[in-house]
Amino acid sequence: MEREELIQLVLKKLDDSAESIREQWANPTGTSTRHFIVDDLLPAAVAREIYESFPKDGNGFFSRESFREKKRTSAHLGQHAPLLGDVTYAIQDARTVQKVSELVGMTDLEPDPSLYAGGLSMMFHGDFLNPHIDNSHDGKRDRFRRLNLLYYVSPDWQLENGGNFELWDEERLVPKTIVSQYNRLVVMETNKLSWHSVSPVTAQAPRCCVSNYFFSVNSPDNTDYFHVTSFTGRPEELGKRVLGVMDNALRNVVSRALKIGRGKDQANKESV
């Protein structure tokens, strides 16, 4: 399938789902973070082909492991099947950006063709991503991060598989769980309070995601602010919560002093 075909399929699905998208965005439940879900984004056969294009052993993906996260990511799309690049950039196409902008009522949204924050994500048994807020800006710090667009393609993914997307309340005590369901697109706003995570994977199968991020010169709350990707522990992980406060503060200081984007390795993408 050509990229233009993918773009047209995505646009049609967004159009067909417009009423539901606007309703979900205006009335978030279980979290204050605005978001929407679109199921069956692409024809099932296309979604399956995208999944099959992922290297099932994670070969060529960058592995990251710390108290914050355990996952594998890749922004080097040229090293993988062309379809993975095509679907990534179909979601970044100017027409897709414009359509999403209209649906959520945001202006001046821009894609991330450099994949500063986006790309491909794979998670295997035991992998996780602890509650965090994303880095506030792009690599040059001249645009604010505004939307995360996460497209999941692992077939038959169920709640009991773990590896599910979570949106938290402001105290990070109660998550809203969104199953990383096959052929599902999740779009969420990102700001100072948009805490989110991925629960530990329990399945013996790879959990695959295509991630994109939209930026804007406009701040989410009309203030000028900056922070690196900032982590905390899950409610039962009190030690990680304490460590997160110190770790976030240190990386913020380093990032400001050195004028680097995230306060961590560029290869460590934040795909969820």
Side-chain angles (χ1 to χ4, degrees):
M1 176 164 289
E2 298 295 329
R3 185 179 303 180
E4 181 61 27
E5 294 178 86
L6 290 169
I7 293 168
Q8 293 303 321
L9 287 169
V10 170
L11 291 174
K12 183 177 187 306
K13 187 65 178 184
L14 292 174
D15 273 332
D16 291 346
S17 307
E19 183 177 353
S20 172
I21 288 171
R22 290 192 175 99
E23 173 66 21
Q24 292 179 67
W25 190 260
N27 301 284
T29 59
T31 175
S32 61
T33 299
R34 293 180 296 179
H35 62 284
F36 69 80
I37 298 168
V38 175
D39 286 333
D40 302 318
L41 180 69
L42 295 172
V46 177
R48 183 74 192 212
E49 186 178 356
I50 293 169
Y51 170 73
E52 295 296 346
S53 296
F54 276 81
K56 296 307 175 291
D57 58 358
N59 184 44
F61 278 54
F62 177 80
S63 181
R64 188 77 178 187
E65 184 171 358
S66 72
F67 80 93
R68 310 178 193 104
E69 62 203 334
K70 185 172 183 288
K71 61 182 181 180
R72 301 186 193 186
T73 59
S74 178
H76 303 296
L77 301 185
Q79 298 177 3
H80 305 294
L83 180 58
L84 295 178
D86 285 339
V87 68
T88 299
Y89 288 114
I91 296 173
Q92 287 203 31
D93 184 82
R95 289 162 289 180
T96 306
V97 176
Q98 180 60 34
K99 178 60 64 177
V100 172
S101 299
E102 294 170 1
L103 292 169
V104 302
M106 290 186 180
T107 59
D108 300 319
L109 289 180
E110 302 174 27
D112 178 29
S114 70
L115 297 182
Y116 166 74
L120 309 174
S121 171
M122 298 187 73
M123 301 182 80
F124 296 85
H125 186 268
D127 288 0
F128 66 94
L129 183 59
N130 263 6
H132 64 285
I133 49 175
D134 289 334
N135 179 284
S136 58
H137 284 71
D138 64 2
K140 296 180 179 179
R141 292 198 195 175
D142 55 10
R143 300 182 300 168
F144 290 87
R145 192 187 311 229
R146 300 300 305 275
L147 292 180
N148 294 4
L149 301 94
L150 310 166
Y151 177 48
Y152 302 107
V153 294
S154 293
D156 304 315
W157 201 265
Q158 306 292 327
L159 175 66
E160 56 268 25
N161 288 6
N164 295 308
F165 185 63
E166 299 170 314
L167 290 168
W168 293 80
D169 60 338
E170 293 182 16
E171 291 75 29
R172 283 88 72 197
L173 295 177
V174 181
K176 173 180 180 175
T177 298
I178 299 173
V179 177
S180 301
Q181 184 174 303
Y182 175 59
N183 206 7
R184 168 173 281 178
L185 175 70
V186 178
V187 178
M188 62 165 282
E189 67 177 333
T190 181
N191 53 40
K192 298 174 184 176
L193 299 175
S194 55
W195 290 88
H196 56 288
S197 60
V198 179
S199 62
V201 177
T202 58
Q204 298 293 338
R207 181 257 203 195
C208 302
C209 178
V210 177
S211 301
N212 278 287
Y213 298 82
F214 293 171
F215 295 85
S216 173
V217 294
N218 298 311
S219 163
D221 61 3
N222 298 313
T223 66
D224 188 16
Y225 67 92
F226 170 80
H227 58 75
V228 298
T229 303
S230 302
F231 285 84
T232 189
R234 303 179 73 84
E236 68 276 13
E237 298 175 325
L238 299 182
K240 285 188 178 182
R241 292 207 159 192
V242 172
L243 181 58
V245 171
M246 297 184 290
D247 177 67
N248 297 333
L250 176 60
R251 289 188 296 109
N252 264 304
V253 169
V254 171
S255 186
R256 289 180 185 276
L258 300 181
K259 296 184 179 180
I260 55 178
R262 277 191 288 252
K264 55 181 172 178
D265 194 310
Q266 168 64 18
N268 178 24
K269 302 298 180 183
E270 297 150 2
S271 306
V272 295

